[in-house]
Amino acid sequence: NLRFIKKVRKKGRGQVAGMVSVHAPFTASDELLRYAKTIASRYKVPITIQVSEGLVDLYHNLEHYGKRPVERLHEVGLLGKDTVLAHCVHLDDEELALIKDAGAKVAHVPVSDMLNGLGVAPIQKMQIMDIPVGLGSDGYPIDGFENLRITLLLHKVAHGGPRLIDEADVLEMATIRGAELYGLERELGSLEECKFGDVIIVDPSRAPTLLRPENAIKYIVNFARGSDVKTVIVGGRIIMRDRKVLTLDEEEVIKMSRARAKKLWQKLEIIRR
């Protein structure tokens, strides 16, 4: 992490930035957690860590440290305004209060939690407490629209109420709230003057009903798919038009990726032996 942060700093401000990432409390010593916080503070970058994703994190910390995961992070000084806690499925009210008091933030990754059968994070409680919550994926699923849709449906069924969360809530979690997690809300996350022109244009021709301004958000969350994205603009620059990427050779990238993946698997096989 430190090496990457320094490398990016040398190149000056761009679209890539570094941060400090720690796996989880149950795989990190107090010494490592304190060091990670020191580096994040020194270079003024965010720090992210997976917390209470599964019960193993909770039980490990109780057994070895006598504290719940967030309590331990608080005691070692890791919690702060630049701290992003991922998952946060198995938290009690005292831990939520510690997160709130520290100004820390939460990355909600419901589909990954579902994949591993871990439970549902109490994001309604977090939102009532004004704890910032953004939407992540933890690498699964690949389609961002699918992530929106499953998030909406999961919380409706988990809490037995169709109106506890709506499409606008989910879309905000994936855009402006996500930007807030990393202090980027003044630059990203919404279409406003003086912000980066980051835009995707979705082809509405396959919309199952008449598309109007008042139901556009419902359409995006309930029906849109990644394959519906027609044009992508980043920082005002068109990088995909009519589903054709303009900035690189897609076939070459896929070819290189497959070759690298093959080499990685070969290395893993050697390690296993």
Side-chain angles (χ1 to χ4, degrees):
N1 290 179
L2 179 56
R3 191 163 57 243
F4 184 77
I5 291 167
K6 290 181 177 180
K7 181 179 179 180
V8 172
R9 289 282 173 93
K10 286 182 180 179
K11 292 185 177 181
R13 183 165 180 77
Q15 293 175 330
V16 177
M19 65 180 184
V20 176
S21 181
V22 183
H23 176 245
F26 76 96
T27 57
S29 65
D30 285 353
E31 181 183 12
L32 177 61
L33 293 172
R34 291 191 183 99
Y35 180 64
K37 179 62 176 179
T38 297
I39 294 301
S41 298
R42 180 183 303 165
Y43 289 92
K44 293 181 173 56
V45 296
I47 182 168
T48 183
I49 183 170
Q50 299 178 106
V51 176
S52 291
E53 177 180 3
L55 289 172
V56 63
D57 196 15
L58 173 60
Y59 294 156
H60 177 91
N61 281 273
L62 287 173
E63 180 181 353
H64 293 274
Y65 299 93
K67 305 176 185 70
R68 295 178 69 93
V70 174
E71 291 176 325
R72 181 172 161 229
L73 295 180
H74 169 68
E75 290 203 7
V76 300
L78 191 79
L79 292 184
K81 294 181 179 179
D82 294 326
T83 308
V84 179
L85 310 175
H87 298 285
C88 294
V89 176
H90 303 284
L91 301 185
D92 64 11
D93 290 344
E94 290 183 7
E95 289 179 291
L96 289 173
L98 288 174
I99 293 172
K100 167 66 176 177
D101 292 344
K105 300 152 189 174
V106 173
H108 181 40
V109 283
V111 184
S112 175
D113 294 335
M114 292 170 66
L115 174 68
N116 294 307
L118 300 172
V120 183
I123 65 165
Q124 275 75 26
K125 278 189 176 182
M126 298 176 193
Q127 291 172 331
I128 290 171
M129 296 173 67
D130 289 328
I131 295 173
V133 180
L135 184 62
S137 70
D138 202 15
Y140 182 85
I142 301 300
D143 191 321
F145 293 99
E146 182 181 348
N147 202 20
L148 294 173
R149 192 151 41 250
I150 293 176
T151 301
L152 176 73
L153 299 177
L154 171 65
H155 288 282
K156 286 178 180 291
V157 71
H159 300 285
R163 295 181 178 83
L164 289 176
I165 186 171
D166 63 22
E167 290 83 358
D169 294 328
V170 175
L171 189 60
E172 282 195 353
M173 286 170 58
T175 52
I176 188 63
R177 304 303 169 214
E180 286 176 354
L181 298 193
Y182 298 96
L184 296 171
E185 65 273 14
R186 295 183 180 180
E187 303 172 26
L188 306 169
S190 60
L191 301 179
E192 298 181 61
E193 188 176 354
C194 297
K195 286 192 175 184
F196 289 123
D198 292 351
V199 184
I200 60 170
I201 299 175
V202 177
D203 180 3
S205 62
R206 288 187 284 187
T209 59
L210 180 64
L211 189 61
R212 302 173 60 86
E214 53 266 30
N215 69 354
I217 292 178
K218 289 183 180 293
Y219 164 71
I220 289 170
V221 176
N222 286 293
F223 302 109
R225 294 173 291 181
S227 57
D228 294 332
V229 177
K230 187 176 181 180
T231 299
V232 177
I233 304 170
V234 178
R237 179 189 179 198
I238 299 175
I239 63 171
M240 183 175 81
R241 179 187 283 121
D242 293 328
R243 298 189 177 90
K244 180 176 176 56
V245 178
L246 307 178
T247 56
L248 51 80
D249 185 331
E250 276 190 275
E251 292 185 3
E252 183 63 24
V253 170
I254 292 171
K255 181 180 177 181
M256 290 174 59
S257 298
R258 287 176 175 166
R260 294 288 178 88
K262 184 177 180 179
K263 288 183 179 180
L264 177 59
W265 278 109
Q266 289 172 344
K267 288 182 179 180
L268 290 173
E269 288 297 329
I270 292 172
I271 293 171
R272 287 174 183 171
R273 295 190 190 120

mmCIF file of all heavy atoms in Angstrom, residues 42-82:
data_model
loop_
_atom_site.group_PDB
_atom_site.id
_atom_site.type_symbol
_atom_site.label_atom_id
_atom_site.label_comp_id
_atom_site.label_asym_id
_atom_site.label_seq_id
_atom_site.Cartn_x
_atom_site.Cartn_y
_atom_site.Cartn_z
ATOM 1 N N ARG A 42 -0.240 9.813 8.052
ATOM 2 C CA ARG A 42 0.948 10.502 7.541
ATOM 3 C C ARG A 42 0.732 10.983 6.117
ATOM 4 O O ARG A 42 1.120 12.099 5.751
ATOM 5 C CB ARG A 42 2.149 9.565 7.608
ATOM 6 C CG ARG A 42 3.462 10.192 7.092
ATOM 7 C CD ARG A 42 4.580 9.182 7.125
ATOM 8 N NE ARG A 42 4.776 8.634 8.464
ATOM 9 C CZ ARG A 42 5.479 7.538 8.726
ATOM 10 N NH1 ARG A 42 6.043 6.860 7.736
ATOM 11 N NH2 ARG A 42 5.625 7.129 9.961
ATOM 12 N N TYR A 43 0.106 10.144 5.281
ATOM 13 C CA TYR A 43 -0.062 10.483 3.864
ATOM 14 C C TYR A 43 -1.458 11.018 3.558
ATOM 15 O O TYR A 43 -1.788 11.267 2.400
ATOM 16 C CB TYR A 43 0.242 9.259 2.996
ATOM 17 C CG TYR A 43 1.715 8.924 2.991
ATOM 18 C CD1 TYR A 43 2.240 8.026 3.916
ATOM 19 C CD2 TYR A 43 2.585 9.532 2.091
ATOM 20 C CE1 TYR A 43 3.595 7.721 3.938
ATOM 21 C CE2 TYR A 43 3.942 9.241 2.100
ATOM 22 C CZ TYR A 43 4.442 8.339 3.034
ATOM 23 O OH TYR A 43 5.784 8.054 3.053
ATOM 24 N N LYS A 44 -2.278 11.163 4.605
ATOM 25 C CA LYS A 44 -3.624 11.725 4.448
ATOM 26 C C LYS A 44 -4.423 10.985 3.382
ATOM 27 O O LYS A 44 -4.980 11.569 2.443
ATOM 28 C CB LYS A 44 -3.538 13.224 4.135
ATOM 29 C CG LYS A 44 -2.989 14.042 5.287
ATOM 30 C CD LYS A 44 -2.953 15.530 4.939
ATOM 31 C CE LYS A 44 -2.558 16.364 6.151
ATOM 32 N NZ LYS A 44 -1.276 15.973 6.749
ATOM 33 N N VAL A 45 -4.498 9.669 3.549
ATOM 34 C CA VAL A 45 -5.272 8.826 2.642
ATOM 35 C C VAL A 45 -6.278 8.023 3.465
ATOM 36 O O VAL A 45 -6.100 7.843 4.670
ATOM 37 C CB VAL A 45 -4.363 7.862 1.842
ATOM 38 C CG1 VAL A 45 -3.428 8.641 0.933
ATOM 39 C CG2 VAL A 45 -3.584 6.940 2.785
ATOM 40 N N PRO A 46 -7.339 7.531 2.832
ATOM 41 C CA PRO A 46 -8.309 6.714 3.564
ATOM 42 C C PRO A 46 -7.709 5.377 3.984
ATOM 43 O O PRO A 46 -6.720 4.911 3.409
ATOM 44 C CB PRO A 46 -9.439 6.506 2.548
ATOM 45 C CG PRO A 46 -9.217 7.525 1.483
ATOM 46 C CD PRO A 46 -7.743 7.769 1.447
ATOM 47 N N ILE A 47 -8.339 4.755 4.957
ATOM 48 C CA ILE A 47 -7.976 3.406 5.354
ATOM 49 C C ILE A 47 -9.239 2.564 5.346
ATOM 50 O O ILE A 47 -10.294 3.007 5.804
ATOM 51 C CB ILE A 47 -7.294 3.387 6.739
ATOM 52 C CG1 ILE A 47 -6.870 1.953 7.100
ATOM 53 C CG2 ILE A 47 -8.181 3.969 7.823
ATOM 54 C CD1 ILE A 47 -5.942 1.896 8.293
ATOM 55 N N THR A 48 -9.158 1.372 4.776
ATOM 56 C CA THR A 48 -10.331 0.507 4.694
ATOM 57 C C THR A 48 -10.020 -0.861 5.274
ATOM 58 O O THR A 48 -8.890 -1.348 5.161
ATOM 59 C CB THR A 48 -10.820 0.374 3.231
ATOM 60 O OG1 THR A 48 -12.009 -0.423 3.202
ATOM 61 C CG2 THR A 48 -9.782 -0.268 2.356
ATOM 62 N N ILE A 49 -11.013 -1.461 5.902
ATOM 63 C CA ILE A 49 -10.842 -2.765 6.537
ATOM 64 C C ILE A 49 -12.178 -3.475 6.573
ATOM 65 O O ILE A 49 -13.224 -2.849 6.761
ATOM 66 C CB ILE A 49 -10.250 -2.613 7.958
ATOM 67 C CG1 ILE A 49 -10.002 -3.987 8.598
ATOM 68 C CG2 ILE A 49 -11.150 -1.756 8.843
ATOM 69 C CD1 ILE A 49 -9.204 -3.902 9.902
ATOM 70 N N GLN A 50 -12.172 -4.787 6.356
ATOM 71 C CA GLN A 50 -13.390 -5.585 6.455
ATOM 72 C C GLN A 50 -13.669 -5.900 7.924
ATOM 73 O O GLN A 50 -12.782 -6.381 8.630
ATOM 74 C CB GLN A 50 -13.232 -6.875 5.651
ATOM 75 C CG GLN A 50 -12.990 -6.600 4.173
ATOM 76 C CD GLN A 50 -12.791 -7.868 3.377
ATOM 77 O OE1 GLN A 50 -13.676 -8.282 2.628
ATOM 78 N NE2 GLN A 50 -11.640 -8.485 3.527
ATOM 79 N N VAL A 51 -14.882 -5.625 8.360
ATOM 80 C CA VAL A 51 -15.216 -5.761 9.784
ATOM 81 C C VAL A 51 -16.500 -6.565 9.967
ATOM 82 O O VAL A 51 -17.513 -6.275 9.325
ATOM 83 C CB VAL A 51 -15.376 -4.372 10.439
ATOM 84 C CG1 VAL A 51 -15.812 -4.512 11.889
ATOM 85 C CG2 VAL A 51 -14.078 -3.587 10.351
ATOM 86 N N SER A 52 -16.434 -7.556 10.855
ATOM 87 C CA SER A 52 -17.615 -8.363 11.200
ATOM 88 C C SER A 52 -18.352 -8.834 9.957
ATOM 89 O O SER A 52 -19.587 -8.808 9.905
ATOM 90 C CB SER A 52 -18.550 -7.567 12.116
ATOM 91 O OG SER A 52 -17.957 -7.401 13.379
ATOM 92 N N GLU A 53 -17.577 -9.283 8.978
ATOM 93 C CA GLU A 53 -18.189 -9.847 7.772
ATOM 94 C C GLU A 53 -18.904 -11.145 8.138
ATOM 95 O O GLU A 53 -20.046 -11.370 7.766
ATOM 96 C CB GLU A 53 -17.120 -10.095 6.717
ATOM 97 C CG GLU A 53 -17.626 -10.753 5.456
ATOM 98 C CD GLU A 53 -16.524 -10.983 4.440
ATOM 99 O OE1 GLU A 53 -15.353 -10.678 4.730
ATOM 100 O OE2 GLU A 53 -16.847 -11.488 3.353
ATOM 101 N N GLY A 54 -18.206 -11.993 8.878
ATOM 102 C CA GLY A 54 -18.791 -13.235 9.363
ATOM 103 C C GLY A 54 -18.589 -13.355 10.861
ATOM 104 O O GLY A 54 -17.860 -12.564 11.481
ATOM 105 N N LEU A 55 -19.197 -14.355 11.453
ATOM 106 C CA LEU A 55 -19.082 -14.539 12.898
ATOM 107 C C LEU A 55 -17.666 -14.908 13.327
ATOM 108 O O LEU A 55 -17.305 -14.718 14.489
ATOM 109 C CB LEU A 55 -20.070 -15.608 13.359
ATOM 110 C CG LEU A 55 -21.539 -15.191 13.333
ATOM 111 C CD1 LEU A 55 -22.439 -16.385 13.616
ATOM 112 C CD2 LEU A 55 -21.808 -14.070 14.328
ATOM 113 N N VAL A 56 -16.853 -15.428 12.394
ATOM 114 C CA VAL A 56 -15.475 -15.773 12.750
ATOM 115 C C VAL A 56 -14.718 -14.552 13.247
ATOM 116 O O VAL A 56 -13.893 -14.645 14.169
ATOM 117 C CB VAL A 56 -14.737 -16.421 11.550
ATOM 118 C CG1 VAL A 56 -14.609 -15.461 10.385
ATOM 119 C CG2 VAL A 56 -13.353 -16.915 11.971
ATOM 120 N N ASP A 57 -14.973 -13.386 12.658
ATOM 121 C CA ASP A 57 -14.309 -12.155 13.087
ATOM 122 C C ASP A 57 -14.726 -11.800 14.510
ATOM 123 O O ASP A 57 -13.897 -11.457 15.358
ATOM 124 C CB ASP A 57 -14.664 -11.018 12.124
ATOM 125 C CG ASP A 57 -13.740 -9.819 12.268
ATOM 126 O OD1 ASP A 57 -12.674 -9.949 12.892
ATOM 127 O OD2 ASP A 57 -14.086 -8.740 11.747
ATOM 128 N N LEU A 58 -16.017 -11.886 14.774
ATOM 129 C CA LEU A 58 -16.533 -11.587 16.110
ATOM 130 C C LEU A 58 -15.959 -12.548 17.145
ATOM 131 O O LEU A 58 -15.412 -12.129 18.178
ATOM 132 C CB LEU A 58 -18.058 -11.666 16.102
ATOM 133 C CG LEU A 58 -18.756 -11.542 17.459
ATOM 134 C CD1 LEU A 58 -18.437 -10.213 18.116
ATOM 135 C CD2 LEU A 58 -20.259 -11.732 17.283
ATOM 136 N N TYR A 59 -16.056 -13.860 16.895
ATOM 137 C CA TYR A 59 -15.616 -14.859 17.869
ATOM 138 C C TYR A 59 -14.101 -14.802 18.094
ATOM 139 O O TYR A 59 -13.628 -14.956 19.221
ATOM 140 C CB TYR A 59 -16.026 -16.262 17.402
ATOM 141 C CG TYR A 59 -17.512 -16.483 17.380
ATOM 142 C CD1 TYR A 59 -18.090 -17.448 16.555
ATOM 143 C CD2 TYR A 59 -18.380 -15.722 18.173
ATOM 144 C CE1 TYR A 59 -19.459 -17.653 16.525
ATOM 145 C CE2 TYR A 59 -19.747 -15.915 18.156
ATOM 146 C CZ TYR A 59 -20.276 -16.886 17.329
ATOM 147 O OH TYR A 59 -21.633 -17.082 17.300
ATOM 148 N N HIS A 60 -13.346 -14.592 17.022
ATOM 149 C CA HIS A 60 -11.884 -14.524 17.153
ATOM 150 C C HIS A 60 -11.472 -13.363 18.053
ATOM 151 O O HIS A 60 -10.615 -13.522 18.932
ATOM 152 C CB HIS A 60 -11.244 -14.362 15.773
ATOM 153 C CG HIS A 60 -9.754 -14.208 15.820
ATOM 154 N ND1 HIS A 60 -8.888 -15.282 15.754
ATOM 155 C CD2 HIS A 60 -8.961 -13.100 15.954
ATOM 156 C CE1 HIS A 60 -7.643 -14.849 15.840
ATOM 157 N NE2 HIS A 60 -7.657 -13.533 15.951
ATOM 158 N N ASN A 61 -12.068 -12.217 17.838
ATOM 159 C CA ASN A 61 -11.698 -11.039 18.631
ATOM 160 C C ASN A 61 -12.132 -11.177 20.080
ATOM 161 O O ASN A 61 -11.401 -10.772 20.993
ATOM 162 C CB ASN A 61 -12.288 -9.777 17.997
ATOM 163 C CG ASN A 61 -11.471 -9.295 16.817
ATOM 164 O OD1 ASN A 61 -10.519 -8.540 16.972
ATOM 165 N ND2 ASN A 61 -11.825 -9.746 15.623
ATOM 166 N N LEU A 62 -13.297 -11.758 20.310
ATOM 167 C CA LEU A 62 -13.744 -11.985 21.683
ATOM 168 C C LEU A 62 -12.824 -12.980 22.393
ATOM 169 O O LEU A 62 -12.456 -12.788 23.564
ATOM 170 C CB LEU A 62 -15.176 -12.499 21.695
ATOM 171 C CG LEU A 62 -16.264 -11.481 21.352
ATOM 172 C CD1 LEU A 62 -17.625 -12.167 21.224
ATOM 173 C CD2 LEU A 62 -16.334 -10.359 22.394
ATOM 174 N N GLU A 63 -12.416 -14.033 21.688
ATOM 175 C CA GLU A 63 -11.585 -15.069 22.291
ATOM 176 C C GLU A 63 -10.166 -14.591 22.558
ATOM 177 O O GLU A 63 -9.596 -14.860 23.626
ATOM 178 C CB GLU A 63 -11.552 -16.294 21.374
ATOM 179 C CG GLU A 63 -10.691 -17.436 21.923
ATOM 180 C CD GLU A 63 -10.654 -18.621 20.984
ATOM 181 O OE1 GLU A 63 -11.403 -18.629 19.971
ATOM 182 O OE2 GLU A 63 -9.874 -19.558 21.256
ATOM 183 N N HIS A 64 -9.577 -13.867 21.606
ATOM 184 C CA HIS A 64 -8.166 -13.500 21.716
ATOM 185 C C HIS A 64 -7.926 -12.123 22.327
ATOM 186 O O HIS A 64 -6.840 -11.855 22.850
ATOM 187 C CB HIS A 64 -7.510 -13.566 20.334
ATOM 188 C CG HIS A 64 -7.413 -14.951 19.781
ATOM 189 N ND1 HIS A 64 -6.375 -15.806 20.069
ATOM 190 C CD2 HIS A 64 -8.259 -15.646 18.973
ATOM 191 C CE1 HIS A 64 -6.561 -16.971 19.453
ATOM 192 N NE2 HIS A 64 -7.699 -16.895 18.774
ATOM 193 N N TYR A 65 -8.915 -11.224 22.249
ATOM 194 C CA TYR A 65 -8.711 -9.861 22.737
ATOM 195 C C TYR A 65 -9.744 -9.447 23.783
ATOM 196 O O TYR A 65 -9.603 -8.389 24.397
ATOM 197 C CB TYR A 65 -8.729 -8.867 21.579
ATOM 198 C CG TYR A 65 -7.637 -9.114 20.572
ATOM 199 C CD1 TYR A 65 -7.870 -9.905 19.439
ATOM 200 C CD2 TYR A 65 -6.353 -8.591 20.750
ATOM 201 C CE1 TYR A 65 -6.870 -10.151 18.507
ATOM 202 C CE2 TYR A 65 -5.343 -8.824 19.821
ATOM 203 C CZ TYR A 65 -5.608 -9.612 18.708
ATOM 204 O OH TYR A 65 -4.605 -9.858 17.799
ATOM 205 N N GLY A 66 -10.798 -10.246 23.938
ATOM 206 C CA GLY A 66 -11.839 -9.906 24.898
ATOM 207 C C GLY A 66 -12.687 -8.731 24.477
ATOM 208 O O GLY A 66 -13.353 -8.094 25.307
ATOM 209 N N LYS A 67 -12.677 -8.422 23.183
ATOM 210 C CA LYS A 67 -13.426 -7.267 22.665
ATOM 211 C C LYS A 67 -14.093 -7.642 21.351
ATOM 212 O O LYS A 67 -13.605 -8.494 20.602
ATOM 213 C CB LYS A 67 -12.501 -6.076 22.427
ATOM 214 C CG LYS A 67 -11.679 -5.638 23.630
ATOM 215 C CD LYS A 67 -10.731 -4.518 23.253
ATOM 216 C CE LYS A 67 -9.821 -4.140 24.404
ATOM 217 N NZ LYS A 67 -8.815 -5.212 24.689
ATOM 218 N N ARG A 68 -15.177 -6.960 21.042
ATOM 219 C CA ARG A 68 -15.795 -7.088 19.728
ATOM 220 C C ARG A 68 -14.919 -6.341 18.716
ATOM 221 O O ARG A 68 -14.124 -5.465 19.094
ATOM 222 C CB ARG A 68 -17.209 -6.531 19.756
ATOM 223 C CG ARG A 68 -18.160 -7.329 20.671
ATOM 224 C CD ARG A 68 -19.541 -6.697 20.711
ATOM 225 N NE ARG A 68 -20.236 -6.838 19.443
ATOM 226 C CZ ARG A 68 -21.070 -7.845 19.132
ATOM 227 N NH1 ARG A 68 -21.309 -8.804 20.015
ATOM 228 N NH2 ARG A 68 -21.674 -7.885 17.960
ATOM 229 N N PRO A 69 -15.011 -6.668 17.420
ATOM 230 C CA PRO A 69 -14.118 -6.079 16.422
ATOM 231 C C PRO A 69 -14.048 -4.554 16.425
ATOM 232 O O PRO A 69 -12.960 -3.973 16.420
ATOM 233 C CB PRO A 69 -14.669 -6.615 15.098
ATOM 234 C CG PRO A 69 -15.262 -7.931 15.467
ATOM 235 C CD PRO A 69 -15.867 -7.719 16.827
ATOM 236 N N VAL A 70 -15.215 -3.882 16.423
ATOM 237 C CA VAL A 70 -15.198 -2.414 16.374
ATOM 238 C C VAL A 70 -14.654 -1.829 17.674
ATOM 239 O O VAL A 70 -13.959 -0.807 17.663
ATOM 240 C CB VAL A 70 -16.616 -1.866 16.075
ATOM 241 C CG1 VAL A 70 -16.628 -0.337 16.174
ATOM 242 C CG2 VAL A 70 -17.067 -2.292 14.681
ATOM 243 N N GLU A 71 -14.931 -2.481 18.797
ATOM 244 C CA GLU A 71 -14.367 -2.032 20.078
ATOM 245 C C GLU A 71 -12.845 -2.069 20.023
ATOM 246 O O GLU A 71 -12.162 -1.145 20.488
ATOM 247 C CB GLU A 71 -14.862 -2.925 21.216
ATOM 248 C CG GLU A 71 -16.337 -2.783 21.530
ATOM 249 C CD GLU A 71 -16.784 -3.755 22.591
ATOM 250 O OE1 GLU A 71 -16.268 -4.892 22.634
ATOM 251 O OE2 GLU A 71 -17.658 -3.378 23.404
ATOM 252 N N ARG A 72 -12.327 -3.133 19.454
ATOM 253 C CA ARG A 72 -10.866 -3.264 19.348
ATOM 254 C C ARG A 72 -10.288 -2.205 18.415
ATOM 255 O O ARG A 72 -9.255 -1.589 18.712
ATOM 256 C CB ARG A 72 -10.530 -4.669 18.833
ATOM 257 C CG ARG A 72 -9.039 -4.917 18.720
ATOM 258 C CD ARG A 72 -8.723 -6.351 18.405
ATOM 259 N NE ARG A 72 -7.377 -6.453 17.879
ATOM 260 C CZ ARG A 72 -7.040 -7.112 16.787
ATOM 261 N NH1 ARG A 72 -7.961 -7.765 16.090
ATOM 262 N NH2 ARG A 72 -5.788 -7.138 16.373
ATOM 263 N N LEU A 73 -10.927 -1.976 17.283
ATOM 264 C CA LEU A 73 -10.444 -0.948 16.352
ATOM 265 C C LEU A 73 -10.456 0.426 17.010
ATOM 266 O O LEU A 73 -9.555 1.246 16.779
ATOM 267 C CB LEU A 73 -11.307 -0.932 15.089
ATOM 268 C CG LEU A 73 -11.261 -2.188 14.209
ATOM 269 C CD1 LEU A 73 -12.160 -2.008 12.993
ATOM 270 C CD2 LEU A 73 -9.843 -2.514 13.790
ATOM 271 N N HIS A 74 -11.469 0.664 17.830
ATOM 272 C CA HIS A 74 -11.542 1.927 18.560
ATOM 273 C C HIS A 74 -10.381 2.056 19.548
ATOM 274 O O HIS A 74 -9.735 3.119 19.623
ATOM 275 C CB HIS A 74 -12.878 2.006 19.293
ATOM 276 C CG HIS A 74 -12.970 3.130 20.284
ATOM 277 N ND1 HIS A 74 -12.990 4.454 19.905
ATOM 278 C CD2 HIS A 74 -13.014 3.116 21.651
ATOM 279 C CE1 HIS A 74 -13.063 5.222 20.982
ATOM 280 N NE2 HIS A 74 -13.076 4.429 22.051
ATOM 281 N N GLU A 75 -10.077 0.998 20.275
ATOM 282 C CA GLU A 75 -9.034 1.061 21.297
ATOM 283 C C GLU A 75 -7.637 1.228 20.702
ATOM 284 O O GLU A 75 -6.783 1.868 21.310
ATOM 285 C CB GLU A 75 -9.091 -0.184 22.181
ATOM 286 C CG GLU A 75 -10.317 -0.207 23.082
ATOM 287 C CD GLU A 75 -10.136 -1.089 24.303
ATOM 288 O OE1 GLU A 75 -9.005 -1.590 24.516
ATOM 289 O OE2 GLU A 75 -11.124 -1.273 25.037
ATOM 290 N N VAL A 76 -7.393 0.662 19.518
ATOM 291 C CA VAL A 76 -6.071 0.821 18.899
ATOM 292 C C VAL A 76 -5.977 2.117 18.105
ATOM 293 O O VAL A 76 -4.914 2.431 17.545
ATOM 294 C CB VAL A 76 -5.710 -0.378 17.996
ATOM 295 C CG1 VAL A 76 -5.679 -1.664 18.791
ATOM 296 C CG2 VAL A 76 -6.645 -0.482 16.794
ATOM 297 N N GLY A 77 -7.085 2.869 18.021
ATOM 298 C CA GLY A 77 -7.048 4.175 17.365
ATOM 299 C C GLY A 77 -7.279 4.149 15.868
ATOM 300 O O GLY A 77 -6.979 5.120 15.176
ATOM 301 N N LEU A 78 -7.817 3.054 15.346
ATOM 302 C CA LEU A 78 -8.003 2.964 13.898
ATOM 303 C C LEU A 78 -9.224 3.733 13.407
ATOM 304 O O LEU A 78 -9.230 4.241 12.289
ATOM 305 C CB LEU A 78 -8.128 1.496 13.475
ATOM 306 C CG LEU A 78 -8.058 1.265 11.960
ATOM 307 C CD1 LEU A 78 -6.616 1.314 11.486
ATOM 308 C CD2 LEU A 78 -8.674 -0.082 11.585
ATOM 309 N N LEU A 79 -10.253 3.818 14.221
ATOM 310 C CA LEU A 79 -11.478 4.493 13.785
ATOM 311 C C LEU A 79 -11.264 5.993 13.632
ATOM 312 O O LEU A 79 -10.619 6.623 14.459
ATOM 313 C CB LEU A 79 -12.608 4.249 14.785
ATOM 314 C CG LEU A 79 -13.167 2.834 14.918
ATOM 315 C CD1 LEU A 79 -14.340 2.828 15.877
ATOM 316 C CD2 LEU A 79 -13.576 2.271 13.569
ATOM 317 N N GLY A 80 -11.814 6.544 12.557
ATOM 318 C CA GLY A 80 -11.703 7.976 12.327
ATOM 319 C C GLY A 80 -12.507 8.380 11.108
ATOM 320 O O GLY A 80 -13.149 7.541 10.458
ATOM 321 N N LYS A 81 -12.470 9.654 10.767
ATOM 322 C CA LYS A 81 -13.258 10.162 9.644
ATOM 323 C C LYS A 81 -12.794 9.620 8.299
ATOM 324 O O LYS A 81 -13.553 9.641 7.322
ATOM 325 C CB LYS A 81 -13.218 11.695 9.634
ATOM 326 C CG LYS A 81 -13.922 12.321 10.834
ATOM 327 C CD LYS A 81 -13.877 13.833 10.771
ATOM 328 C CE LYS A 81 -14.610 14.446 11.962
ATOM 329 N NZ LYS A 81 -14.575 15.931 11.950
ATOM 330 N N ASP A 82 -11.542 9.146 8.239
ATOM 331 C CA ASP A 82 -11.022 8.602 6.990
ATOM 332 C C ASP A 82 -11.068 7.075 6.960
ATOM 333 O O ASP A 82 -10.446 6.448 6.106
ATOM 334 C CB ASP A 82 -9.581 9.078 6.772
ATOM 335 C CG ASP A 82 -9.499 10.580 6.548
ATOM 336 O OD1 ASP A 82 -10.444 11.123 5.948
ATOM 337 O OD2 ASP A 82 -8.508 11.193 6.974
#
